[in-house]
PDB file of all heavy atoms in Angstrom:
ATOM      1  N   SER A 131       9.733  19.955  27.042  1.00 97.00           N
ATOM      2  CA  SER A 131       9.607  19.853  25.585  1.00 97.00           C
ATOM      3  C   SER A 131      10.701  18.981  24.991  1.00 97.00           C
ATOM      4  O   SER A 131      11.831  18.951  25.496  1.00 97.00           O
ATOM      5  CB  SER A 131       9.683  21.244  24.949  1.00 97.00           C
ATOM      6  OG  SER A 131       8.591  22.025  25.351  1.00 97.00           O
ATOM      7  N   LEU A 132      10.356  18.323  23.900  1.00 97.00           N
ATOM      8  CA  LEU A 132      11.283  17.517  23.116  1.00 97.00           C
ATOM      9  C   LEU A 132      11.230  18.009  21.680  1.00 97.00           C
ATOM     10  O   LEU A 132      10.151  18.386  21.197  1.00 97.00           O
ATOM     11  CB  LEU A 132      10.875  16.043  23.110  1.00 97.00           C
ATOM     12  CG  LEU A 132      10.720  15.333  24.434  1.00 97.00           C
ATOM     13  CD1 LEU A 132      10.087  13.963  24.217  1.00 97.00           C
ATOM     14  CD2 LEU A 132      12.076  15.191  25.089  1.00 97.00           C
ATOM     15  N   ILE A 133      12.356  17.975  21.003  1.00 97.00           N
ATOM     16  CA  ILE A 133      12.374  18.216  19.565  1.00 97.00           C
ATOM     17  C   ILE A 133      12.643  16.870  18.917  1.00 97.00           C
ATOM     18  O   ILE A 133      13.586  16.165  19.286  1.00 97.00           O
ATOM     19  CB  ILE A 133      13.450  19.243  19.179  1.00 97.00           C
ATOM     20  CG1 ILE A 133      13.078  20.602  19.746  1.00 97.00           C
ATOM     21  CG2 ILE A 133      13.594  19.318  17.661  1.00 97.00           C
ATOM     22  CD1 ILE A 133      14.099  21.685  19.496  1.00 97.00           C
ATOM     23  N   VAL A 134      11.783  16.504  17.972  1.00 97.00           N
ATOM     24  CA  VAL A 134      11.907  15.219  17.276  1.00 97.00           C
ATOM     25  C   VAL A 134      12.100  15.521  15.794  1.00 97.00           C
ATOM     26  O   VAL A 134      11.320  16.266  15.200  1.00 97.00           O
ATOM     27  CB  VAL A 134      10.639  14.350  17.478  1.00 97.00           C
ATOM     28  CG1 VAL A 134      10.788  13.014  16.761  1.00 97.00           C
ATOM     29  CG2 VAL A 134      10.362  14.142  18.958  1.00 97.00           C
ATOM     30  N   ARG A 135      13.156  14.922  15.209  1.00 96.00           N
ATOM     31  CA  ARG A 135      13.386  15.097  13.770  1.00 96.00           C
ATOM     32  C   ARG A 135      13.884  13.804  13.181  1.00 96.00           C
ATOM     33  O   ARG A 135      14.514  13.000  13.881  1.00 96.00           O
ATOM     34  CB  ARG A 135      14.352  16.243  13.505  1.00 96.00           C
ATOM     35  CG  ARG A 135      15.787  15.956  13.827  1.00 96.00           C
ATOM     36  CD  ARG A 135      16.651  17.159  13.572  1.00 96.00           C
ATOM     37  NE  ARG A 135      15.995  18.256  14.217  1.00 96.00           N
ATOM     38  CZ  ARG A 135      16.551  19.163  14.999  1.00 96.00           C
ATOM     39  NH1 ARG A 135      17.787  19.168  15.190  1.00 96.00           N
ATOM     40  NH2 ARG A 135      15.886  20.088  15.597  1.00 96.00           N
ATOM     41  N   ARG A 136      13.568  13.591  11.931  1.00 95.00           N
ATOM     42  CA  ARG A 136      14.074  12.405  11.234  1.00 95.00           C
ATOM     43  C   ARG A 136      15.596  12.516  11.190  1.00 95.00           C
ATOM     44  O   ARG A 136      16.131  13.597  10.982  1.00 95.00           O
ATOM     45  CB  ARG A 136      13.496  12.301   9.834  1.00 95.00           C
ATOM     46  CG  ARG A 136      13.805  10.963   9.179  1.00 95.00           C
ATOM     47  CD  ARG A 136      13.144  10.829   7.829  1.00 95.00           C
ATOM     48  NE  ARG A 136      11.744  10.494   7.896  1.00 95.00           N
ATOM     49  CZ  ARG A 136      11.250   9.264   8.023  1.00 95.00           C
ATOM     50  NH1 ARG A 136      12.072   8.241   8.168  1.00 95.00           N
ATOM     51  NH2 ARG A 136       9.963   9.046   8.026  1.00 95.00           N
ATOM     52  N   ALA A 137      16.283  11.408  11.428  1.00 94.00           N
ATOM     53  CA  ALA A 137      17.747  11.406  11.397  1.00 94.00           C
ATOM     54  C   ALA A 137      18.212  11.814   9.998  1.00 94.00           C
ATOM     55  O   ALA A 137      17.653  11.380   8.998  1.00 94.00           O
ATOM     56  CB  ALA A 137      18.280  10.031  11.773  1.00 94.00           C
ATOM     57  N   GLY A 138      19.197  12.663   9.947  1.00 87.00           N
ATOM     58  CA  GLY A 138      19.722  13.138   8.670  1.00 87.00           C
ATOM     59  C   GLY A 138      19.753  14.648   8.642  1.00 87.00           C
ATOM     60  O   GLY A 138      18.971  15.318   9.298  1.00 87.00           O
ATOM     61  N   ALA A 139      20.665  15.177   7.870  1.00 69.00           N
ATOM     62  CA  ALA A 139      20.871  16.629   7.829  1.00 69.00           C
ATOM     63  C   ALA A 139      19.666  17.354   7.243  1.00 69.00           C
ATOM     64  O   ALA A 139      19.060  16.904   6.283  1.00 69.00           O
ATOM     65  CB  ALA A 139      22.114  16.928   7.002  1.00 69.00           C
ATOM     66  N   GLY A 140      19.346  18.477   7.873  1.00 73.00           N
ATOM     67  CA  GLY A 140      18.316  19.359   7.336  1.00 73.00           C
ATOM     68  C   GLY A 140      16.890  18.877   7.465  1.00 73.00           C
ATOM     69  O   GLY A 140      15.996  19.442   6.847  1.00 73.00           O
ATOM     70  N   ALA A 141      16.664  17.849   8.240  1.00 75.00           N
ATOM     71  CA  ALA A 141      15.306  17.316   8.370  1.00 75.00           C
ATOM     72  C   ALA A 141      14.434  18.271   9.178  1.00 75.00           C
ATOM     73  O   ALA A 141      14.892  18.847  10.159  1.00 75.00           O
ATOM     74  CB  ALA A 141      15.340  15.944   9.047  1.00 75.00           C
ATOM     75  N   PRO A 142      13.160  18.470   8.772  1.00 82.00           N
ATOM     76  CA  PRO A 142      12.260  19.311   9.574  1.00 82.00           C
ATOM     77  C   PRO A 142      12.039  18.685  10.948  1.00 82.00           C
ATOM     78  O   PRO A 142      12.206  17.488  11.127  1.00 82.00           O
ATOM     79  CB  PRO A 142      10.955  19.327   8.782  1.00 82.00           C
ATOM     80  CG  PRO A 142      11.193  18.569   7.539  1.00 82.00           C
ATOM     81  CD  PRO A 142      12.533  17.919   7.615  1.00 82.00           C
ATOM     82  N   ALA A 143      11.666  19.509  11.902  1.00 89.00           N
ATOM     83  CA  ALA A 143      11.491  19.034  13.271  1.00 89.00           C
ATOM     84  C   ALA A 143      10.132  19.446  13.798  1.00 89.00           C
ATOM     85  O   ALA A 143       9.490  20.346  13.279  1.00 89.00           O
ATOM     86  CB  ALA A 143      12.587  19.603  14.158  1.00 89.00           C
ATOM     87  N   VAL A 144       9.715  18.759  14.847  1.00 91.00           N
ATOM     88  CA  VAL A 144       8.486  19.107  15.548  1.00 91.00           C
ATOM     89  C   VAL A 144       8.798  19.132  17.037  1.00 91.00           C
ATOM     90  O   VAL A 144       9.656  18.387  17.520  1.00 91.00           O
ATOM     91  CB  VAL A 144       7.355  18.103  15.238  1.00 91.00           C
ATOM     92  CG1 VAL A 144       7.670  16.719  15.755  1.00 91.00           C
ATOM     93  CG2 VAL A 144       6.042  18.577  15.799  1.00 91.00           C
ATOM     94  N   THR A 145       8.137  20.017  17.767  1.00 95.00           N
ATOM     95  CA  THR A 145       8.278  20.086  19.216  1.00 95.00           C
ATOM     96  C   THR A 145       7.098  19.375  19.854  1.00 95.00           C
ATOM     97  O   THR A 145       5.953  19.590  19.469  1.00 95.00           O
ATOM     98  CB  THR A 145       8.330  21.548  19.690  1.00 95.00           C
ATOM     99  OG1 THR A 145       9.465  22.170  19.091  1.00 95.00           O
ATOM    100  CG2 THR A 145       8.464  21.629  21.202  1.00 95.00           C
ATOM    101  N   VAL A 146       7.400  18.506  20.815  1.00 97.00           N
ATOM    102  CA  VAL A 146       6.386  17.748  21.547  1.00 97.00           C
ATOM    103  C   VAL A 146       6.536  18.107  23.020  1.00 97.00           C
ATOM    104  O   VAL A 146       7.657  18.187  23.524  1.00 97.00           O
ATOM    105  CB  VAL A 146       6.595  16.226  21.349  1.00 97.00           C
ATOM    106  CG1 VAL A 146       5.593  15.432  22.141  1.00 97.00           C
ATOM    107  CG2 VAL A 146       6.569  15.864  19.890  1.00 97.00           C
ATOM    108  N   ARG A 147       5.442  18.305  23.708  1.00 97.00           N
ATOM    109  CA  ARG A 147       5.483  18.640  25.139  1.00 97.00           C
ATOM    110  C   ARG A 147       4.905  17.479  25.934  1.00 97.00           C
ATOM    111  O   ARG A 147       3.836  16.960  25.602  1.00 97.00           O
ATOM    112  CB  ARG A 147       4.664  19.903  25.391  1.00 97.00           C
ATOM    113  CG  ARG A 147       4.668  20.313  26.833  1.00 97.00           C
ATOM    114  CD  ARG A 147       5.263  21.689  26.993  1.00 97.00           C
ATOM    115  NE  ARG A 147       5.227  22.068  28.407  1.00 97.00           N
ATOM    116  CZ  ARG A 147       6.303  22.262  29.119  1.00 97.00           C
ATOM    117  NH1 ARG A 147       7.484  22.149  28.579  1.00 97.00           N
ATOM    118  NH2 ARG A 147       6.214  22.588  30.377  1.00 97.00           N
ATOM    119  N   SER A 148       5.599  17.078  26.988  1.00 98.00           N
ATOM    120  CA  SER A 148       5.071  16.027  27.852  1.00 98.00           C
ATOM    121  C   SER A 148       4.024  16.625  28.784  1.00 98.00           C
ATOM    122  O   SER A 148       4.029  17.822  29.067  1.00 98.00           O
ATOM    123  CB  SER A 148       6.193  15.360  28.657  1.00 98.00           C
ATOM    124  OG  SER A 148       6.776  16.272  29.548  1.00 98.00           O
ATOM    125  N   SER A 149       3.153  15.772  29.279  1.00 98.00           N
ATOM    126  CA  SER A 149       2.110  16.207  30.212  1.00 98.00           C
ATOM    127  C   SER A 149       2.710  16.402  31.607  1.00 98.00           C
ATOM    128  O   SER A 149       3.888  16.124  31.838  1.00 98.00           O
ATOM    129  CB  SER A 149       1.003  15.162  30.274  1.00 98.00           C
ATOM    130  OG  SER A 149       1.488  13.989  30.921  1.00 98.00           O
ATOM    131  N   ALA A 150       1.887  16.815  32.547  1.00 97.00           N
ATOM    132  CA  ALA A 150       2.325  16.974  33.940  1.00 97.00           C
ATOM    133  C   ALA A 150       2.774  15.644  34.534  1.00 97.00           C
ATOM    134  O   ALA A 150       3.553  15.618  35.482  1.00 97.00           O
ATOM    135  CB  ALA A 150       1.207  17.580  34.779  1.00 97.00           C
ATOM    136  N   THR A 151       2.293  14.531  33.986  1.00 98.00           N
ATOM    137  CA  THR A 151       2.717  13.209  34.454  1.00 98.00           C
ATOM    138  C   THR A 151       3.973  12.727  33.728  1.00 98.00           C
ATOM    139  O   THR A 151       4.410  11.597  33.930  1.00 98.00           O
ATOM    140  CB  THR A 151       1.599  12.169  34.265  1.00 98.00           C
ATOM    141  OG1 THR A 151       1.322  12.026  32.868  1.00 98.00           O
ATOM    142  CG2 THR A 151       0.336  12.571  35.017  1.00 98.00           C
ATOM    143  N   GLY A 152       4.550  13.586  32.856  1.00 98.00           N
ATOM    144  CA  GLY A 152       5.765  13.238  32.132  1.00 98.00           C
ATOM    145  C   GLY A 152       5.535  12.439  30.870  1.00 98.00           C
ATOM    146  O   GLY A 152       6.479  12.130  30.150  1.00 98.00           O
ATOM    147  N   ARG A 153       4.294  12.121  30.545  1.00 98.00           N
ATOM    148  CA  ARG A 153       3.991  11.275  29.383  1.00 98.00           C
ATOM    149  C   ARG A 153       3.909  12.093  28.091  1.00 98.00           C
ATOM    150  O   ARG A 153       3.464  13.234  28.096  1.00 98.00           O
ATOM    151  CB  ARG A 153       2.658  10.557  29.580  1.00 98.00           C
ATOM    152  CG  ARG A 153       2.625   9.650  30.778  1.00 98.00           C
ATOM    153  CD  ARG A 153       3.321   8.380  30.489  1.00 98.00           C
ATOM    154  NE  ARG A 153       3.312   7.522  31.663  1.00 98.00           N
ATOM    155  CZ  ARG A 153       3.992   6.418  31.740  1.00 98.00           C
ATOM    156  NH1 ARG A 153       4.726   6.019  30.733  1.00 98.00           N
ATOM    157  NH2 ARG A 153       3.959   5.697  32.833  1.00 98.00           N
ATOM    158  N   PHE A 154       4.349  11.453  26.997  1.00 98.00           N
ATOM    159  CA  PHE A 154       4.205  12.062  25.679  1.00 98.00           C
ATOM    160  C   PHE A 154       3.987  10.958  24.647  1.00 98.00           C
ATOM    161  O   PHE A 154       4.266   9.786  24.897  1.00 98.00           O
ATOM    162  CB  PHE A 154       5.437  12.900  25.311  1.00 98.00           C
ATOM    163  CG  PHE A 154       6.648  12.062  25.003  1.00 98.00           C
ATOM    164  CD1 PHE A 154       6.945  11.678  23.707  1.00 98.00           C
ATOM    165  CD2 PHE A 154       7.484  11.637  26.024  1.00 98.00           C
ATOM    166  CE1 PHE A 154       8.052  10.893  23.429  1.00 98.00           C
ATOM    167  CE2 PHE A 154       8.590  10.846  25.760  1.00 98.00           C
ATOM    168  CZ  PHE A 154       8.874  10.483  24.455  1.00 98.00           C
ATOM    169  N   ARG A 155       3.476  11.355  23.497  1.00 98.00           N
ATOM    170  CA  ARG A 155       3.267  10.424  22.387  1.00 98.00           C
ATOM    171  C   ARG A 155       3.262  11.230  21.102  1.00 98.00           C
ATOM    172  O   ARG A 155       2.614  12.269  21.022  1.00 98.00           O
ATOM    173  CB  ARG A 155       1.947   9.691  22.547  1.00 98.00           C
ATOM    174  CG  ARG A 155       1.718   8.664  21.460  1.00 98.00           C
ATOM    175  CD  ARG A 155       0.451   7.879  21.724  1.00 98.00           C
ATOM    176  NE  ARG A 155       0.526   6.664  20.946  1.00 98.00           N
ATOM    177  CZ  ARG A 155       0.151   5.480  21.322  1.00 98.00           C
ATOM    178  NH1 ARG A 155      -0.377   5.324  22.522  1.00 98.00           N
ATOM    179  NH2 ARG A 155       0.276   4.445  20.550  1.00 98.00           N
ATOM    180  N   VAL A 156       3.994  10.772  20.116  1.00 97.00           N
ATOM    181  CA  VAL A 156       4.023  11.422  18.810  1.00 97.00           C
ATOM    182  C   VAL A 156       3.940  10.342  17.733  1.00 97.00           C
ATOM    183  O   VAL A 156       4.649   9.341  17.799  1.00 97.00           O
ATOM    184  CB  VAL A 156       5.275  12.321  18.646  1.00 97.00           C
ATOM    185  CG1 VAL A 156       6.556  11.545  18.763  1.00 97.00           C
ATOM    186  CG2 VAL A 156       5.217  13.087  17.345  1.00 97.00           C
ATOM    187  N   ARG A 157       3.024  10.539  16.794  1.00 96.00           N
ATOM    188  CA  ARG A 157       2.863   9.593  15.682  1.00 96.00           C
ATOM    189  C   ARG A 157       3.881   9.934  14.602  1.00 96.00           C
ATOM    190  O   ARG A 157       3.993  11.088  14.206  1.00 96.00           O
ATOM    191  CB  ARG A 157       1.454   9.672  15.122  1.00 96.00           C
ATOM    192  CG  ARG A 157       0.399   9.214  16.094  1.00 96.00           C
ATOM    193  CD  ARG A 157      -1.001   9.363  15.500  1.00 96.00           C
ATOM    194  NE  ARG A 157      -2.011   9.065  16.473  1.00 96.00           N
ATOM    195  CZ  ARG A 157      -2.475   7.845  16.729  1.00 96.00           C
ATOM    196  NH1 ARG A 157      -2.006   6.814  16.068  1.00 96.00           N
ATOM    197  NH2 ARG A 157      -3.397   7.671  17.646  1.00 96.00           N
ATOM    198  N   LEU A 158       4.614   8.897  14.151  1.00 95.00           N
ATOM    199  CA  LEU A 158       5.662   9.081  13.153  1.00 95.00           C
ATOM    200  C   LEU A 158       5.648   7.928  12.164  1.00 95.00           C
ATOM    201  O   LEU A 158       5.307   6.799  12.521  1.00 95.00           O
ATOM    202  CB  LEU A 158       7.036   9.122  13.835  1.00 95.00           C
ATOM    203  CG  LEU A 158       7.249  10.189  14.894  1.00 95.00           C
ATOM    204  CD1 LEU A 158       8.480   9.868  15.722  1.00 95.00           C
ATOM    205  CD2 LEU A 158       7.387  11.533  14.225  1.00 95.00           C
TER     206      LEU A 158
END
Side-chain angles (χ1 to χ4, degrees):
S131 295
L132 304 170
I133 293 177
V134 181
R135 74 182 49 133
R136 190 176 281 276
V144 65
T145 299
V146 178
R147 180 120 179 115
S148 65
S149 69
T151 63
R153 299 282 179 189
F154 72 93
R155 183 175 199 140
V156 60
R157 294 178 186 274
L158 302 165

